[in-house]
Each structure stands twice: as C-alpha cells, then as structure tokens.
Amino acid sequence: MPGLLIAIVGAESTGKSSLAQALHSALSTATGLRCALAPEVLREWCEAAGRTPRPEEQAAIAEAQAARCEALALTADLVLCDTTPLMTAVYSELLFADRSLLDAGLAFHRRCALTLLTALDLPWVADGLQRDGAHVRAPVDAAVRRALLGAGLGWSVVAGSGERRLDAALNAITPLLLAKRASPLPATGLFSRLQARQDALPEWRWACDNCDVPECEHLWNPRR
C-alpha cells in the first residue's frame, strides 16, 4: 500500500522547504516510520535552465512533481511533498491566465492525506529566479485557498516561526501518524508527545473562511 502524501503548499518565501526538511528530520528519526522528502522540481528546473519556465513548459514541471511524490510513496510510509502540482497550476493561472493545469493539480491533492498551507507571517526573502516579490504572496495565497475551497478540499494553516511553525505542522499531522502506527505507542519519545499535544488541543470550531486552526491566523495577518 502506498505511503501517505503530505502536501506542503503556500506562497513564495513562506518556509515550505524549511518546514518540509524540519518535518522530515523530526519524523524520520523519532517515529519508526519510513519518511521521504520530495524536493521541489521547479527549483531544480530553474537552476538547470538559468531561467523561469515558459507557459508551455509548466505542464511537464507539474507532472514531474506529481511523479516524484508518488514514486517515493511506493517505498515510504510518509512522503513530505515540498510543493505540489497545484502550485504550478496556480502560478500558471496568475502569470499566464492559463487554468488548464488546475484540475490535475487538485486531483493530486485528493490523493493527499493532508494539505499544509504555510502562512504569510514570515518576512519575504529573495531566492534566485523563482521569487517575484512580496507583493505576489497575498494573491498566490488567495488563489490556493480559492482552488482548494472550490474543490471541496481542506487544509491546515501552519503559522509561527521556528519551533512554533514545526509544532503547528506536527499538530496537524499527529492524527494521521497515530492512525498509521500499528504497534502500541511508546511511553516516551515523539509519539507520546504528539499524543499528549493532540489530547490538549481545544475543541475545533470554524471561525471564518480563512481559518482552520484554533488560534486565528488573522491575529498575525497584516492585511487585517
């Protein structure tokens, strides 16, 4: 049976890669599960080509990202996907007015056990050819939410910096990990801490269209 796919999406410079790496390190060393990290295809493509892709090249990049994640799932219990085809589709829509990749991007997310959406609370940092500027983050974030919401797909917002961001992601992943583990939980270690954290979480209630965590993300959002 293929492993669980955990999608990590979000606007540029919101810590997707750092979060994926931190989760991979924490989970692979403490859970006993076979964890894999699927790096971003677009970054490798831009570094190799020395430019950003043209409209007609977007589909192949999205397909390669999906193929990478699914190939890793054949041998791993858990795959942390550092971005997904949906992000390629969103950028194709915003940059080139091309919505043709959205259906495939959303179909990939239907196969994911969980989608983590990185919040806009980190400072924008330049990083090579891929990043356009802080001004594009809000439109990209809105487009991702709109696409997922329109498809009836949920997500968990990951906010905070450093350990708080990692803890927020672990809070979202915990129920999946506890269900995945067949043997009894150990008395110590990460799984016991995850179980304790899960038990301590307040009862979840929907607050607004943009929130899906008990601590409302609008508390940090400068657009409010």
Side-chain angles (χ1 to χ4, degrees):
M1 182 176 180
L4 300 177
L5 297 175
I6 305 296
I8 303 175
V9 297
E12 64 182 52
S13 195
T14 55
K16 295 187 296 295
S17 295
S18 296
L19 178 63
Q21 292 163 9
L23 284 170
H24 180 260
S25 177
L27 296 173
S28 61
T29 59
T31 64
L33 297 175
R34 296 170 300 167
C35 299
L37 174 61
E40 184 180 18
V41 170
L42 175 61
R43 179 181 296 276
E44 298 170 3
W45 194 99
C46 291
E47 290 174 351
R51 61 176 176 84
T52 56
R54 292 186 284 266
E56 66 274 15
E57 295 168 323
Q58 295 282 87
I61 292 172
E63 291 167 2
Q65 188 70 53
R68 173 174 290 183
C69 296
E70 291 172 347
L72 288 170
L74 296 177
T75 56
D77 298 313
L78 184 71
V79 179
L80 298 157
C81 305
D82 178 8
T83 202
T84 73
L86 180 61
M87 293 308 305
T88 305
V90 164
Y91 276 100
S92 289
E93 178 183 10
L94 293 178
L95 295 177
F96 308 122
D98 178 9
R99 293 177 54 85
S100 65
L101 304 182
L102 279 173
D103 285 347
L106 291 168
F108 177 84
H109 275 260
R110 291 189 183 94
R111 297 195 292 277
C112 293
L114 177 68
T115 293
L116 301 177
L117 175 63
T118 49
L120 305 180
D121 56 343
L122 298 181
W124 185 86
V125 177
D127 184 19
L129 296 170
Q130 293 173 264
R131 295 185 178 174
D132 297 313
H135 64 285
V136 306
R137 298 204 301 176
V140 170
D141 180 79
V144 172
R145 293 168 183 268
R146 184 169 58 248
L148 290 170
L149 193 62
L153 296 170
W155 64 88
S156 291
V157 174
V158 179
S161 60
E163 289 299 317
R164 287 187 58 199
R165 209 172 190 84
L166 177 59
D167 279 347
L170 289 172
N171 285 343
I173 296 173
T174 293
L176 297 175
L177 297 182
L178 297 175
K180 180 76 174 176
R181 189 172 177 85
S183 59
L185 298 179
T188 60
L190 179 61
F191 267 114
S192 59
R193 295 197 299 274
L194 292 178
Q195 181 67 71
R197 181 189 290 119
Q198 181 71 12
D199 293 341
L201 287 177
E203 181 181 356
W204 183 87
R205 281 197 288 247
W206 183 264
C208 68
D209 287 344
N210 291 326
C211 294
D212 61 352
V213 291
E215 298 78 20
C216 179
E217 64 177 315
H218 287 202
L219 292 176
W220 53 259
N221 193 333
R223 292 176 287 162
R224 295 286 291 185

